[in-house]
Amino acid sequence: MSRITGTGSFVPAKIIDNFDLEKKVDTSDEWITERTGIKARRTLATGQTNSDMCLEASKRALQSAGLKAKDIDLIIVATMSGDMPMPSTAAILQSKLGAKNAAAFDINAACSGFLYGLSVADKFIRTGASQKLLLIGSEVNSRFLDWKDRTTCVLFGDGAGAVVLEPAKGKRGILSTHLHTDGNMWDFICLPGGGSQLPPSSKSIRDRMHFIKMRGNETFKIAVRTLEKLALSTLKHNNVKPSELAMLIPHQANLRIIAATASRLNIPMDRVAVNLDKYGNTSSASIPIALDEVVKAGRIKDGDYVLLEAFGSGLTWASALIKW
Ligand code: ACO
């Protein structure tokens, strides 16, 4: 079994609140707050990159684990907004961090990316293939938003969260991870342009194909149904009752989705990590940022059960149960 031995996070300084967005598109603070729970989001400064945010979050996670960059043998970056299509953002981070003993690769499962990464990381450690692993979820969503599309541009933000994983010495650690995909609904949330299906062209740019598109309302309904089932099956797999959970750390897409899951599990909101009011949906970064905040605030203690769950493009959904 693997255990998280360090956490760290980074969000850019620039804040865009709902009132700023009222000036850009036909929206209102009232609509965004009521429908999503989001009040503000961060955007990365021009000239800064995804790997720069990974670097800051990683340094903080390494410090909290008491490790040096050269101790790390594997780096995994979960992202859908990497520095460039090739090489991986993880490789660029490896250089910036000076983690010369680490292999490095990216993983992309959109908003479920961190939990997909956690599952892969846990398996590397369980097999003995890695001893000290750095996993980061990091997104520069602001660069892929259509700032003329009010149905998406109000939702997303930038940020990075990192964890260090090591083999567990006792019975505390990642108890199980669960991954799911239904590719039939790939077009519910997608960024159609820029890949091999639709390489960049003046037409693809004119048609605004290099931005995130989402069928939000249909996704919402599936997310609520799916996350309840996912949370219950993850707990059942480990013989843990919802009432035994110390903390639920959900992906931060919509407060109504988070509250519906908590209510269906009968978990009071004071045992649910929420930060989308400050950061919006930071995709693969949302769970590790929230985890870092919860740890730093002393909201979880040794031996607590912590449930992580996410839903996103693919469609993908994933969970992990941790005995902290
Ligand atoms: N401001 C004002 N009005 C708006 C805005 C806005 N920013 N956006 C949409 N509207 C309007 C719509 O045009 C629509 O108007 P109409 O009734 O006149 O047609 C009305 O508001 C209702 O729109 P809906 O899309 O039905 O609103 P809904 O309550 O579903 O909220 C939202 C939309 C917030 C996107 C929600 O559906 C949601 O959160 N979906 C799930 C998102 C999610 O979980 N995604 C997965 C992760 S993302 C990833 O993986 C990258």
Side-chain angles (χ1 to χ4, degrees):
M1 179 161 64
S2 68
R3 196 162 83 82
I4 293 174
T5 57
T7 65
S9 62
F10 172 84
V11 290
K14 184 165 182 337
I15 300 172
I16 298 189
D17 68 20
N18 293 348
F19 299 102
D20 297 322
L21 289 176
E22 285 183 355
K23 292 173 208 140
K24 279 182 190 270
V25 284
D26 179 15
T27 191
S28 64
D29 171 56
E30 193 189 355
W31 191 95
I32 303 171
T33 306
E34 272 176 18
R35 298 294 179 114
T36 71
I38 298 165
K39 299 295 287 181
R41 67 287 294 143
R42 304 294 179 102
T43 56
L44 192 62
T46 310
Q48 292 226 287
T49 62
N50 188 322
S51 59
D52 292 331
M53 292 201 301
C54 289
L55 178 64
E56 289 310 315
S58 299
K59 281 184 188 164
R60 292 169 192 184
L62 285 171
Q63 194 187 16
S64 93
L67 295 179
K68 299 259 180 299
K70 66 170 175 30
D71 300 328
I72 296 296
D73 56 35
L74 186 61
I75 298 174
I76 305 175
V77 174
T79 191
M80 58 179 196
S81 54
D83 286 11
M84 50 189 88
M86 180 179 74
S88 68
T89 299
I92 298 170
L93 171 65
Q94 188 247 28
S95 157
K96 288 185 176 174
L97 199 56
K100 56 179 192 212
N101 300 314
F105 63 88
D106 287 359
I107 204 163
N108 177 358
C111 294
S112 308
F114 179 77
L115 293 184
Y116 268 66
L118 193 69
S119 185
V120 172
D122 180 54
K123 280 156 186 79
F124 264 94
I125 294 204
R126 280 177 192 249
T127 59
S130 169
Q131 298 296 316
K132 290 184 173 30
L133 193 154
L134 185 59
L135 167 67
I136 304 106
S138 179
E139 304 287 3
V140 197
N141 288 321
S142 63
R143 308 251 162 100
F144 301 94
L145 290 175
D146 184 346
W147 292 99
K148 292 189 169 158
D149 175 8
R150 67 175 184 177
T151 69
T152 50
C153 76
V154 305
L155 303 174
F156 295 93
D158 302 341
V163 296
V164 172
L165 289 130
E166 296 180 69
K169 294 205 175 77
K171 291 202 167 115
R172 294 191 288 120
I174 295 167
L175 300 179
S176 69
T177 58
H178 307 266
L179 308 182
H180 304 272
T181 303
D182 188 345
N184 292 319
M185 289 176 276
W186 68 266
D187 59 338
F188 276 41
I189 315 164
C190 61
L191 199 162
S196 54
Q197 178 175 312
L198 187 61
S201 66
S202 45
K203 182 173 182 338
S204 71
I205 292 169
R206 233 181 7 258
D207 293 345
R208 310 188 80 73
M209 299 307 268
H210 298 275
F211 299 123
I212 295 171
K213 318 270 180 204
M214 181 162 73
R215 285 156 62 180
N217 192 265
E218 287 152 283
T219 307
F220 182 96
K221 288 176 195 150
I222 300 168
V224 170
R225 265 201 317 270
T226 307
L227 287 171
E228 179 193 5
K229 268 199 224 146
L230 175 68
L232 288 172
S233 63
T234 305
L235 292 173
K236 192 165 173 220
H237 180 89
N238 292 287
N239 265 322
V240 173
K241 295 191 205 70
S243 58
E244 292 177 81
L245 269 186
M247 186 64 63
L248 172 66
I249 306 186
H251 169 52
Q252 310 280 312
N254 189 314
L255 187 58
R256 290 185 292 139
I257 298 178
I258 295 173
T261 309
S263 137
R264 285 161 189 229
L265 267 69
N266 217 5
I267 300 172
M269 285 305 282
D270 63 354
R271 284 198 268 133
V272 182
V274 175
N275 66 14
L276 89 174
D277 51 328
K278 297 183 288 184
Y279 309 135
N281 179 350
T282 55
S283 314
S284 70
S286 79
I287 290 176
I289 294 173
L291 175 65
D292 184 44
E293 289 184 340
V294 160
V295 169
K296 301 271 154 70
R299 291 176 71 193
I300 46 179
K301 52 184 194 317
D302 290 356
D304 277 351
Y305 286 115
V306 181
L307 178 63
L308 317 181
E309 45 90 341
F311 187 92
S313 168
L315 296 176
T316 54
W317 55 104
S319 63
L321 186 69
I322 301 176
K323 194 169 167 68
W324 193 256

